[in-house]
Amino acid sequence: MCILPGIIEPDHSYKYDIFDPPQDTPLLVDRLKYLKAFLMQVAQLNDVEMNDRLPRAFERHILSTGILQRGQSQKGVINLLARYRDEWTALAVHAGKNGHAWAKWLAPQQPQVRQEQGVTYASA
């Protein structure tokens, strides 16, 4: 199976394949929570290249595991995480075009505007 160029895996590599045709293999809600959490992590990398520091949660993990030492350049890890984010974003776009509803979880969210008692509120 080839999802995107360069990503080739044999059919049936996974017990629950999130790229199976959506109508043939519906994923159970309790299994989707793990996918949703994973995609939320990918979404947190949205602005990872904005400066030379990792987001705080990622920096804590990288330092606590000894991958980097305090004061060491984070640029290599930032580049790796940006590539990881971009690969998952491309996969989600591909999945969305093929009708997988879960792919919308990684799409940019538009604020919803609602009217309440004459006042307009925006919520993300």
Side-chain angles (χ1 to χ4, degrees), residues 68-84:
L68 291 178
Q69 301 301 315
R70 191 168 303 283
Q72 191 175 358
S73 172
Q74 299 177 355
K75 201 64 179 164
V77 174
I78 290 169
N79 290 337
L80 174 68
L81 292 174
R83 279 195 326 268
Y84 170 75

Side-chain angles (χ1 to χ4, degrees), residues 80-99:
L80 174 68
L81 292 174
R83 279 195 326 268
Y84 170 75
R85 176 209 55 217
D86 294 346
E87 288 171 2
W88 264 98
T89 301
L91 285 169
V93 167
H94 177 78
K97 289 178 181 175
N98 288 314

Side-chain angles (χ1 to χ4, degrees), residues 3-50:
I3 304 298
L4 291 175
I7 302 175
I8 300 170
E9 295 178 321
D11 290 337
H12 310 295
S13 292
Y14 303 96
K15 184 174 182 178
Y16 304 105
D17 190 346
I18 61 174
F19 297 104
D20 273 350
Q23 67 277 9
D24 292 344
T25 330
L27 294 172
L28 300 174
V29 172
D30 66 327
R31 293 195 180 99
L32 291 176
K33 66 183 175 184
Y34 299 108
L35 176 59
K36 187 178 267 189
F38 181 77
L39 294 175
M40 287 173 58
Q41 180 188 45
V42 172
Q44 288 177 335
L45 295 170
N46 190 40
D47 297 326
V48 75
E49 300 141 308
M50 297 305 288

